[in-house]
Amino acid sequence: MLTVLRHRRFAALFASQVASLVGTGVLTVALALVAVRIAGEGAAQIIGIALTIRIAAYVVVSPIASALVAGRSSRAVLISADAARVVIAAGLVLATEAWHLYVAILLLHSASAVFTPTYQAVIPEVLPDERDYTSAQSLSRLAYDLESLLSPVLAALLVLVLPPSALFAVTAAGFALSALAVGLSRISERAGAAGEPFASRLTRGLRLMTRIPALRFLAVLDAVTATVYATVLVTTVVLLVVIGAADVGDPSGPLAVALVAFGAGSIAVALLLPRILDRGSDGAVMATGAAIVPVALAATAALALTGALTLPLVIVLWFVLGAASSAISTPSARIIRREVEPDDRPAVFAARFSSSHAWYAVTYPIAGLVGSAAGPAAATAVLAVVALLALGAALALSRGARPSADAQARPPAASLGSVG
């Protein structure tokens, strides 16, 4: 997998992604710490509003930005997005009110909604060989998982020597390094084609996603991934407290263990996927991962309701959920690369970036509201049902997908072989 880093342009872009991820990870911790400083016990409300603003920015801004930057240099777009994030993150050092955080979150994640789909659309052009591209996707997933595990540790170490607000300067430095790496990549690709009217460009990605069966499969299957993250990010700590695995005052130890297990499962699959995808289709791997999710969520809910759930079982189940989420997410970009023409990829990646985050606007409230009203076991059970319905809908909507070249070269898989 690491051999793909021999491609110098991709190596520079990957360095940009890593720097950007570190900046974003430190930013998340910094926001939580500053929210506590501003509001004390009311910090949860600030964080909740900030997360809602982030999702809204991703859903609304990404397709608009994709239409606006169509035809422009991808390198210029990426560097401009990073430059905006540097300025905004550095300005957060001076934040003293909740509304300062809200405005900054809106602007920061609007810039990220420009950066991420543009970055995703460039990689297939930089790595035309499918095996290299598969390795790149697995490497990107590995970077994402390691960042989620290590950024809180890095932030905690930095807080020992810096005030919490100074973490925003570290975030700005991460985005600055990302911009530098993009500059060193010397990419010359354009961010899509600009030959059609703005209104048509604005909806092009969404129209392609609804028209192509394989992309419909991706769009709906993202709901399954959203149920996983809603469970892990919203419900884990409450489950641990309810089952007595964590103290109400300080659940950080068991929570960290559960999150590490989730990350380890995701990393394990990311490392194995290049070999797995040599033998099986993308759609079959994704459908298998998606089928595991409702089973694991239902098992969690049943064990919690019967009082049989323990921390070791949570660790095992969260490892399985991490593995399943990686199996769903990592191969998806290969399908877009294969099904979509190069000029249309930026629009499709932007549309999917928007639609995938829209699912979180559904699953997060389910986890939070049902969990508050009926307990974490009930919330997990409801999310299991949502995951099962989403899987069924994705399989139904994918019918009629044309077989890809590699799928035609081997026997059809038991499920969704034609999608990949």
Side-chain angles (χ1 to χ4, degrees):
M1 185 168 63
L2 294 178
T3 57
V4 73
L5 294 174
R6 292 182 297 185
H7 297 266
R8 293 183 180 180
R9 292 201 300 166
F10 172 72
L13 288 172
F14 181 66
S16 170
Q17 182 197 11
V18 171
S20 180
L21 285 172
V22 171
T24 302
V26 173
L27 171 68
T28 302
V29 177
L31 284 172
L33 294 174
V34 172
V36 170
R37 187 194 69 194
I38 292 173
E41 294 182 359
Q45 180 179 354
I46 293 178
I47 296 170
I49 294 173
L51 290 173
T52 303
I53 291 172
R54 181 183 72 176
I55 295 297
Y58 285 162
V59 171
V60 174
V61 173
S62 186
I64 297 173
S66 175
L68 288 172
V69 304
R72 291 172 171 78
S73 163
S74 293
R75 180 168 57 175
V77 171
L78 292 171
I79 292 176
S80 297
D82 270 332
R85 296 195 291 185
V86 169
V87 173
I88 299 162
L92 273 169
V93 173
L94 305 175
T96 56
E97 302 288 341
W99 70 268
H100 295 165
L101 298 181
Y102 300 152
V103 172
I105 288 297
L106 175 61
L107 296 175
L108 267 171
H109 291 291
S110 294
S112 294
V114 176
F115 182 94
T116 302
T118 304
Y119 174 90
Q120 291 172 331
V122 166
I123 303 303
E125 304 302 309
V126 173
L127 297 173
D129 181 80
E130 186 167 54
R131 288 193 175 186
D132 287 339
Y133 186 63
T134 302
S135 295
Q137 291 303 306
S138 292
L139 199 59
S140 293
R141 179 73 190 196
L142 183 63
Y144 176 83
D145 290 325
L146 288 175
E147 177 275 323
S148 65
L149 295 176
L150 298 179
S151 283
V153 177
L154 173 62
L157 293 174
L158 290 171
V159 167
L160 296 177
V161 295
L162 297 171
S165 59
L167 293 181
F168 294 124
V170 176
T171 295
F175 294 141
L177 289 173
S178 174
L180 176 62
V182 170
L184 293 174
S185 71
R186 298 182 180 179
I187 56 174
S188 57
E189 286 74 16
R190 296 274 168 183
E196 59 183 335
F198 173 79
S200 180
R201 297 200 307 270
L202 181 62
T203 60
R204 185 164 186 77
L206 181 60
R207 284 185 283 118
L208 287 168
M209 289 187 68
T210 56
R211 190 168 69 217
I212 300 173
L215 301 189
R216 294 200 298 263
F217 171 72
L218 296 185
V220 179
L221 209 64
D222 284 330
V224 181
T225 306
T227 64
V228 173
Y229 280 94
T231 301
V232 171
L233 297 180
V234 179
T235 308
T236 301
V237 67
V238 187
L239 273 174
L240 293 173
V241 170
V242 168
I243 67 176
D247 181 72
V248 177
D250 183 20
S252 57
L255 177 62
V257 172
L259 295 180
V260 167
F262 179 79
S266 181
I267 289 170
V269 170
L271 292 172
L272 293 172
L273 268 179
R275 293 184 180 181
I276 294 173
L277 292 174
D278 277 342
R279 301 180 179 180
S281 73
D282 301 317
V285 171
M286 295 175 68
T288 300
I292 291 171
V293 170
V295 175
L297 293 179
T300 302
L303 290 168
L305 285 170
T306 59
L309 189 63
T310 62
L311 180 58
L313 286 174
V314 169
I315 291 170
V316 172
L317 288 165
W318 263 227
F319 181 91
V320 170
L321 286 173
S325 69
S326 186
I328 298 168
S329 300
T330 308
S332 60
R334 283 169 39 111
I335 294 178
I336 295 175
R337 173 184 177 272
R338 189 178 299 126
E339 297 282 343
V340 180
E341 294 297 326
D343 282 348
D344 291 329
R345 285 172 189 160
V348 170
F349 275 113
R352 183 171 180 238
F353 186 78
S354 174
S355 65
S356 64
H357 283 88
W359 288 118
Y360 291 96
V362 176
T363 59
Y364 281 174
I366 289 175
L369 296 176
V370 176
S372 298
T380 307
V382 172
L383 289 170
V385 173
V386 172
L388 184 61
L389 292 174
L391 172 61
L395 292 172
L397 289 171
S398 70
R399 291 173 185 169
R402 65 181 182 274
S404 60
D406 64 331
Q408 292 172 340
R410 55 178 179 264
S415 174
L416 252 169
S418 61
V419 172

